[in-house]
DNA sequence: AATGAGTGTTGCACATGATGCAACGACGAG
DNA sequence: CTCGTCGTTGCATCATGTGCAACACTCATT
């Protein structure tokens, strides 16, 4: 693995948190200023990093363009989006679409709730992997040894009293989810928010994405939310059919 | 400039055109396969590149996550402030920066006039939405139906004889502003104060903020103020470029 | 003016770390 | 079974990235 490139790439997440000047970058990389300068210059030449008027660096437009390309390659999103909108029109709550990649679960699409009380989430943000319904669906479909390896490596933060406490409980939950073909998160991340989710499968039957519907307690109770499960599953199945029907990507 | 990083980063736009295997990457970089392999591995470790089942590489979702995080942490104020100060140093009058949020237009930054006679305003204070130049710019960019909905809900207080009298006049004014790309408020709020404003646009071309220059009649006439318009527009454009991250090196 | 602390920048000698080579392993096709 | 293709690994060589020290610049303080 290339040290120079490794250092250069470490700058990107650092700048994503906000602009930083040369000294800060050098410090956080643990390298000399001149080294950081050369790395930043190279990133700059490629447009991934931009230098604002006060000389601080931030992420550049090129990165956004690339990100755009990257997400277009995730073509599940194209197929799913209209279905998600339709579902949102029917039930009103927030609808999410997520994928698993490289030990992370990311939201890649979202349709906002029509209700004034909304849950906080962000497209592109890694999901709370140990509790989210979509995470359980995506991880649950992995081969047994991978599931175990991932479960062992994870932390299990107790967001609430109902969060998944440890690897054993998580694996058990994954098995249950895999078996039943849907998942929930009842107050496991935020005490007052419930979630139900269903898997989206590709042509080979593998889970390629997962969708979920989230709503706060104050809008609907968990029981009421669960009555929507058949509708959510039908939507997920419709997306699966369309996605696997269209055949090969690109 | 760092050769290794340079090569690694050149892989990204290459993959943006579509997935490629190791050999193709090595060829197009003009390096040995083993070199390309190490670069790809490093990119992979950072999640910028993803390896699909057929072993070919494509752009990774992490790129998307990074870009998303960056826009969330991007503050227009940070970017704009130095430009506003520069403009103020050139022309001396009060400079404002405003955004639209939740049916209100708010001043979020201000550089005070150097002249003793100053206009009253306060950062964080809602703007007189029916007459202020910045309000016209921000509302003018909204979709047609939203503009109409807002215009209908507003009150049209007659601060002066030149205030916008009703919804119809307001919508007409918004259309004109949208068309010409700048706005004025000539004595519409306070009889003796004039204002010129220009929009600041984000990467997607949408108006994300607006800036204005204000001066009382006793200091400059409306005609004199209008001669400053090109300078104001240039400043706004410079901020737009920087905010969307597509600006100049050094 | 003079001073000093805080930046970003440049040139350079050194050795670290990236490079290409060649050999290996895995896979599929003929 | 053999050839061809592709990804992977270990290694010797030296090109490259590295830290240092000195410089240039701005800003605030005296």
């Amino acid at each position: 693995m290339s040290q120079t490139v490794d250092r250069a790439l470490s700058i990107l997440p650092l700048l994503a948190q906000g602009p930083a000047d040369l000294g800060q970058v050098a410090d956080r990389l643990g390298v000399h200023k001149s080294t950081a300068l050369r790395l930043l210059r190279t990133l700059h030449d490629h447009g991934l990093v931009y230098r604002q008027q006060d000389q601080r660096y931030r992420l550049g437009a090129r990165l956004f363009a690339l990100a755009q390309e990257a997400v277009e390659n995730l073509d599940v999103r194209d197929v799913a989006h209209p279905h998600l909108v339709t579902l949102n029109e029917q039930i009103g709550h927030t609808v999410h679409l997520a994928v698993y990649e490289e030990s992370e679960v990311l939201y890649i699409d979202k349709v906002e709730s029509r209700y004034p009380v909304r849950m906080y989430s962000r497209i592109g943000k890694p999901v709370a992997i140990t509790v989210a319904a979509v995470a359980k669906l995506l991880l649950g479909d992995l081969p047994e040894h991978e599931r175990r390896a991932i479960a062992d490596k994870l932390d299990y933060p107790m967001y609430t009293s109902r969060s998944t406490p440890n690897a054993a409980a998580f694996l058990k939950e994954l098995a249950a989810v895999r078996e039943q073909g849907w998942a929930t998160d009842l107050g496991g991340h935020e005490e007052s928010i419930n979630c139900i989710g269903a898997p989206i499968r590709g042509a080979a039957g593998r889970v390629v994405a997962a969708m979920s519907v989230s709503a706060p307690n104050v809008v609907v109770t968990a029981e009421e939310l669960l009555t929507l499960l058949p509708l959510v599953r039908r939507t997920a199945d419709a997306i699966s059919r369309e996605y696997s029907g269209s055949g090969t990507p690109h």
Side-chain angles (χ1 to χ4, degrees), chain A:
Chain A
M1 193 197 358
S2 165
Q3 183 187 68
T4 318
V5 178
D6 185 48
R7 285 171 168 172
L9 297 182
S10 302
I11 293 176
L12 298 178
L14 196 152
L15 290 185
Q17 293 166 24
D21 63 29
L22 180 62
Q24 294 169 329
V25 171
D27 281 352
R28 300 197 46 182
L29 280 186
V31 300
H32 195 267
K33 281 187 307 176
S34 60
T35 304
L37 180 67
R38 256 170 309 105
L39 296 177
L40 280 164
R41 273 221 258 260
T42 312
L43 289 168
H44 181 108
D45 288 346
H46 286 258
L48 298 185
V49 142
Y50 174 75
R51 192 149 204 198
Q52 43 186 37
Q53 188 142 312
D54 60 1
Q55 301 230 74
R56 292 190 305 167
Y57 293 91
R58 43 164 279 233
L59 296 184
R62 199 68 220 273
L63 188 93
F64 298 93
L66 285 171
Q68 196 58 37
E69 308 251 22
V71 77
E72 276 166 17
N73 288 348
L74 303 171
D75 52 2
V76 206
R77 194 166 174 269
D78 293 340
V79 176
H81 190 77
H83 295 271
L84 304 184
V85 169
T86 306
L87 182 65
N88 170 263
E89 281 164 1
Q90 291 172 44
I91 64 180
H93 307 302
T94 301
V95 180
H96 278 113
L97 182 71
V99 294
Y100 171 78
E101 195 177 296
E102 308 288 323
S103 307
E104 277 185 347
V105 174
L106 298 175
Y107 289 129
I108 59 170
D109 201 2
K110 174 186 184 182
V111 186
E112 283 279 3
S113 170
R114 281 194 271 105
Y115 296 95
V117 183
R118 293 175 179 175
M119 69 172 290
Y120 173 75
S121 75
R122 205 183 66 205
I123 294 181
K125 186 186 177 181
V127 173
I129 200 168
T130 59
V131 295
V134 288
K136 295 173 188 172
L137 290 159
L138 291 162
L139 295 180
D141 186 62
L142 296 176
E144 210 270 332
H145 68 275
E146 275 194 60
R147 265 182 288 168
R148 183 166 295 275
I150 292 168
D152 284 344
K153 267 189 297 187
L154 290 175
D155 289 330
Y156 293 86
M158 294 303 284
Y159 306 106
T160 76
S161 63
R162 280 176 287 183
S163 298
T164 311
N166 53 48
F170 190 49
L171 285 168
K172 196 174 158 203
E173 175 75 358
L174 291 187
V177 164
R178 181 193 182 88
E179 185 63 30
Q180 70 196 4
W182 51 273
T184 61
D185 163 24
L186 302 177
H189 186 43
E190 307 249 359
E191 195 67 62
S192 62
I193 292 186
N194 300 311
C195 245
I196 55 175
I200 292 161
R201 297 174 189 278
R206 293 281 309 272
V207 174
V208 296
M211 60 177 294
S212 70
V213 170
S214 314
N217 268 326
V218 295
V219 177
V220 289
T221 64
E223 292 75 41
E224 287 167 338
L225 188 61
L226 284 169
T227 63
L228 299 174
L229 191 51
L231 182 56
V232 174
R233 297 186 72 184
R234 272 203 302 279
T235 303
D237 290 346
I239 298 170
S240 299
R241 269 194 303 280
E242 186 174 329
Y243 181 69
S244 51
S246 71
T248 58
H250 314 295

